[in-house]
Amino acid sequence: MPRLYLPELSQYERGDLSDLSRRELEDLAWRFREIARGLANRLGEDSTTSSRPPSSDDPYRRDQRGGTSAPDRDGSSGQDTAAPDVKAALAKASADPGRMPVKRPGKRPGMPGHWRRQPIVVSQQIAHVPPVCQACQAPLGADRKGRCVSAHHVFELDRGEMGLQVIAEKHSYFVATCACGHDTVASPGVGLHARIEGRKRDLQLSERCLVGATLAIFIAALSLRFRLSRLKIQEFLLDWLGLELGVATINRCVHEFGRASEPMVEELIQEVRTAEVVHLDETPWYQSGVLLWLWVAVTANTVVYRIGSRRKEDLIALIGQAFLGWWVTDGYMAYRDHPRRQRCLAHLIRKALALAEGYYGPGRGFGRDLVRDLRRLIERVHDGDNDAAVKRLLARIKWNCQCNEHEVEQKVRALAREILNDWDAVIAFVANPLLSPTNNDAERALRHAVIARRIGFGTRTDEGSRFYAAGLSVIDTCRKRGVDPWSHGRNLIAAARKGSSLPAIPAQIAA
Ligand SMILES: [Zn+2]
């Protein structure tokens, strides 16, 4: 008997076995056992038992490895797993005695401190004189300027024509005496804040800040858009711009942008809810090691992210209860009951491709036909070919699925039934030119965050998750509308520090 190659897995029919001798049967059984053992071992491998990276581990099995129990599964299928309430999961994880003791980030008590080693060379002096009298509202000119009451340094980034330069400014605040006799004192503005019960130091945005708004948005860009860790940003600023900043200051800049973006996101969500077509997708996310989900909603000119559980409620929080437009989604159950929906065909084509290339006997032909027909359908509809050809194609796909919905092979049967059960959502794009046959818009939007998750393992706190999602929403919406995200971000941070009203993201500039 020739050596068994894997392609022979699909060539053996049950009838062939009766022709084999006992000895040959034993040999064959043993070879199949060796193949099965090898595959079973490979299936059980993860980052702790092979050279695969931790990011490739199954999100549901990660927690079991770490000694804590996985979030409760509602069990119906792998796709249909809802994480429990986010707060409960986080509380459970932190209370679990089997979990590694959590070391607080930052310096240990008693460690020697760090001081600034660079002298600050001031290149610009800025004087703040109150413009009007507080008592009588009379305008105050520079000639009314009295003594200086306070001053602070600000590092700012100068975005020149061809280069970047860090400069130091000195901001001085003066008293001005009015003709009415009242002394008005100029002081730095105080704006948005983020308070959390029991936290040692809360985030308060203020103009009295070592890092200027442009430099702050530059740091936020390095973190959110270029996926650098706080330590890498510190290294970059020192090596390339000769600027020494502490990790806490860098973290503060990233959070300031997140905080300033939060009210913007409220507006963006309103725009998503009134859109005609919304692309939706979700991907695993970790918050201090607990499995959560990052949702994204993409419309023609808005992108909104949200970190939460995989439950329907979190989807509703993003898209609203009474959404009237179309959804473009994958096959996840939470999307299924929305009546106006387009199923992503790229997912179905991938599943069909797996059948075509796997060991599925006659199911392979079904897979091959499905891949060919679905691709052709997308092309025909895109080119606006004649209706008759499209109708023939639709009929063939449906008939092909009906022929295979009682196939013995489980995966073949499942795909055929999946398409038939969701038929209206599979072909919605044929009749509606607004719909795209794939969900690539949302998947492309998530791609960036998936890479960030693989580098940084998600966020650490509730606040961090909110700020991360808000920051990304503003950056991606600006990019989608052809607006420079960084000058808008700068204005956002400046307004949030001053306490003035936040600038809205301009409507589409580039078509
Ligand atoms: Zn006055």
Side-chain angles (χ1 to χ4, degrees):
M1 199 168 70
R3 195 170 164 257
L4 187 73
Y5 289 104
L6 284 179
E8 289 181 325
L9 279 177
S10 52
Q11 285 161 15
Y12 263 95
E13 297 288 332
R14 200 180 165 111
D16 300 340
L17 299 181
S18 51
D19 301 336
L20 299 178
S21 70
R22 160 104 203 169
R23 177 84 207 159
E24 283 170 326
L25 268 178
E26 266 177 29
D27 274 354
L28 186 64
W30 193 252
R31 277 183 198 158
F32 275 125
R33 182 229 182 226
E34 286 300 304
I35 291 172
R37 202 170 62 134
L39 290 176
N41 284 338
R42 268 230 310 265
L43 263 181
E45 280 176 3
D46 63 15
S47 63
T48 56
T49 54
S50 73
S51 52
R52 280 188 222 158
S55 56
S56 67
D57 290 348
D58 178 347
Y60 297 108
R61 287 172 56 179
R62 273 167 68 94
D63 283 1
Q64 291 164 354
R65 281 259 172 213
T68 63
S69 54
D72 305 322
R73 306 181 58 162
D74 60 359
S76 46
S77 80
Q79 274 266 304
D80 190 17
T81 306
D85 186 41
V86 176
K87 284 224 173 82
L90 288 167
K92 201 166 110 194
S94 60
D96 199 314
R99 203 176 162 84
M100 293 261 287
V102 182
K103 211 170 67 171
R104 277 179 58 82
K107 196 161 65 74
R108 305 291 126 231
M111 294 287 283
H114 286 289
W115 286 268
R116 179 170 305 286
R117 286 167 298 179
Q118 293 174 323
I120 295 180
V121 183
V122 174
S123 59
Q124 211 176 351
Q125 302 252 10
I126 296 165
H128 297 268
V129 183
V132 291
C133 169
Q134 239 169 16
C136 70
Q137 307 303 320
L140 297 167
D143 52 319
R144 292 281 172 189
K145 190 168 102 175
R147 65 195 159 80
C148 175
V149 283
S150 73
H152 64 97
H153 288 114
V154 172
F155 288 124
E156 190 52 298
L157 191 72
D158 192 16
R159 253 176 126 181
E161 283 292 308
M162 297 286 286
L164 287 176
Q165 195 195 356
V166 175
I167 53 167
E169 298 165 344
K170 187 179 175 190
H171 289 254
S172 310
Y173 293 83
F174 290 89
V175 171
T177 312
C178 176
C180 75
H182 184 81
D183 281 354
T184 306
V185 182
S187 60
V190 176
L192 298 177
H193 58 77
R195 301 245 157 84
I196 289 178
E197 198 71 35
R199 182 159 64 170
K200 260 192 198 159
R201 188 186 290 172
D202 280 322
L203 179 68
Q204 171 69 61
L205 276 71
S206 154
E207 284 184 317
R208 191 194 297 277
C209 186
L210 180 67
V211 181
T214 310
L215 184 56
I217 191 66
F218 179 68
I219 289 170
L222 292 178
S223 166
L224 295 174
R225 185 70 196 156
F226 302 100
R227 308 185 196 103
L228 293 187
S229 67
R230 312 299 197 247
L231 280 172
K232 283 261 163 57
I233 294 173
Q234 188 179 38
E235 179 187 327
F236 176 85
L237 293 176
L238 188 59
D239 290 0
W240 291 91
L241 295 170
L243 174 69
E244 205 179 356
L245 287 183
V247 175
T249 308
I250 290 169
N251 184 57
R252 184 191 160 92
C253 294
V254 179
H255 276 212
E256 277 185 312
F257 177 57
R259 179 65 188 88
S261 301
E262 268 196 321
M264 290 290 103
V265 173
E266 296 299 315
E267 287 175 25
L268 296 182
I269 286 180
Q270 292 311 317
E271 290 183 32
V272 164
R273 290 182 179 183
T274 53
E276 247 175 302
V277 181
V278 179
H279 289 250
L280 294 167
D281 204 2
E282 78 292 327
T283 186
W285 187 258
Y286 301 108
Q287 184 177 310
S288 57
V290 173
L291 177 66
L292 298 182
W293 292 88
L294 175 68
W295 296 85
V296 68
V298 182
T299 72
N301 55 15
T302 306
V303 184
V304 180
Y305 296 86
R306 182 189 160 87
I307 293 172
S309 74
R310 210 188 183 190
R311 287 192 171 170
K312 189 96 196 281
E313 294 88 88
D314 272 273
L315 175 63
I316 298 294
L318 189 59
I319 198 89
Q321 191 70 260
F323 182 73
L324 297 174
W326 286 86
W327 287 0
V328 182
T329 68
D330 55 22
Y332 178 45
M333 290 309 276
Y335 304 125
R336 289 272 175 108
D337 56 5
H338 188 69
R340 306 177 83 198
R341 187 166 54 90
Q342 166 65 45
R343 240 338 246 283
C344 174
L345 292 198
H347 281 82
L348 296 176
I349 290 176
R350 278 204 292 274
K351 281 186 184 176
L353 212 51
L355 290 186
E357 292 177 355
Y359 302 110
Y360 292 103
R364 298 181 63 174
F366 170 59
R368 264 198 307 271
D369 288 350
L370 208 54
V371 170
R372 187 197 57 213
D373 291 345
L374 287 175
R375 282 185 177 156
R376 210 172 272 173
L377 181 69
I378 294 174
E379 281 169 26
R380 289 269 151 87
V381 172
H382 178 262
D383 297 344
D385 276 8
N386 60 30
D387 283 356
V390 170
K391 267 198 191 114
R392 269 203 304 280
L393 213 44
L394 288 179
R396 191 158 78 204
I397 294 170
K398 196 166 195 176
W399 182 75
N400 211 353
C401 290
Q402 281 162 344
C403 288
N404 283 279
E405 67 176 320
H406 302 294
E407 169 69 30
V408 270
E409 204 75 60
Q410 191 267 335
K411 284 240 168 173
V412 178
R413 204 167 60 219
L415 182 60
R417 285 183 188 174
E418 195 177 344
I419 293 177
L420 290 175
N421 289 342
D422 218 9
W423 181 250
D424 289 340
V426 171
I427 62 156
F429 77 106
V430 174
N432 188 338
L434 279 179
L435 296 176
S436 128
T438 64
N439 198 16
N440 289 351
D441 272 6
E443 286 180 26
R444 216 175 292 125
L446 279 186
R447 191 73 208 130
H448 172 85
V450 169
I451 297 170
R453 182 194 72 209
R454 294 195 162 185
I455 295 171
F457 288 98
T459 42
R460 279 191 194 162
T461 60
D462 255 354
E463 185 183 58
S465 296
R466 279 200 334 266
F467 288 172
Y468 182 78
L472 278 194
S473 306
V474 167
I475 293 171
D476 279 3
T477 301
C478 282
R479 286 169 54 79
K480 195 134 203 151
R481 297 180 184 186
V483 175
D484 173 22
W486 312 124
S487 47
H488 183 76
R490 194 216 83 88
N491 297 342
L492 215 54
I493 292 180
R497 282 178 175 179
K498 205 172 172 182
S500 56
S501 66
L502 302 172
I505 303 174
Q508 202 116 10
I509 290 178

